[in-house]
Amino acid sequence: MAYISNMLDDLRNSAEEFPAIIVNDGSIKTIEEATSWISSNLLTLQTELNCTGAILFRGFPVTNAQTYDDFFSAFGYPNFTYKESLSNAVRINYTEYVFTANEAPKDVEIYLHNEMAQTPIYPERISLFCEEAADHGGATVICRSDEIYKQLVEFDPETTNKLEQVGIKYTTIMPGEDRPESGQGRSWRSTLSVSDVARAEEKLKELGYTWQWLEDGSLKAQTAALPAIRTLQGDRKVFFNQIIAAYKGWQGVNEDPSVALCFGDNTFFTKSYLDKVVSISESVSYNIDWQNGDVALVDNNLAMHGRRPYSGETKRKVLVVLGQK
């Protein structure tokens, strides 16, 4: 359950409450004051993030990509650029580090996931800033990954323990050219940061992927076994992966999960287990109903996120910055 804190006076540092919403009491009027306040209270904010997994900052003077860049930079996290990632969504950069959230059409739902967990390279922090809220819908949905794990291990300990032991492999198809209309539209050239087939194969070999070139010039690639359940500090286990996003959002996977998902030992998931993952996640999710100027800071290890569909004339504009610890 979310709770609201008037600045820092009544932060609860409770792992039972999610997310924390910190509301500017009016004392911070400029971005310089905001960044100074963050720097002065960094330890307190970090403690809260470690407990809850997500903080929403509301009413702070963040108005555009540059002030958002300044706001996030005050936390001191080493930046993680989108270019260096292996994510397959098309994004548009506004500053070196600030870029758009997934550019998929507004009627497409982006299902819950840990950012870039389908690749061996992922950020530890993800931040989102709402410059322009949608007329209707468009919430960012967030969900605690440790809560999913707790309920899954009670539902099916054998399968969940197997997932922890052997990991997961993902199979994706990267088009030959960028397709912004798709949630997975980043080309293999952009995804792998290469210019030709030979360099692509070198990169895939380095990553431990297997691959197949398709007749239309796209690339079908399968990862090596990646972690799907991770243990954080204090033996806190989390469901860390892209299973929900793949099962619900990737083409053809809901009908036949084996086209994109398998255990690290090449055996397959049952639909009943995947359906349970989805239902558990829905039961512990929280919608961030954006207001202009909101900034969310999410521990990518501890919380998943996604995007609800939206409608109306206003173009929803949510920007993102990624960071490491």
Side-chain angles (χ1 to χ4, degrees), residues 16-38:
E16 305 305 315
E17 296 177 284
F18 169 82
I21 303 172
I22 299 177
V23 179
N24 183 5
D25 62 4
S27 62
I28 296 176
K29 296 180 171 57
T30 68
I31 192 61
E32 292 77 15
E33 291 173 345
T35 57
S36 177
W37 175 81
I38 292 169

Side-chain angles (χ1 to χ4, degrees), residues 96-117:
E96 183 179 2
Y97 300 116
V98 175
F99 52 89
T100 55
N102 195 308
E103 287 290 286
K106 59 186 178 182
D107 60 335
V108 173
E109 180 156 1
I110 309 298
Y111 290 96
L112 286 164
H113 59 283
N114 298 98
E115 188 70 11
M116 302 180 195

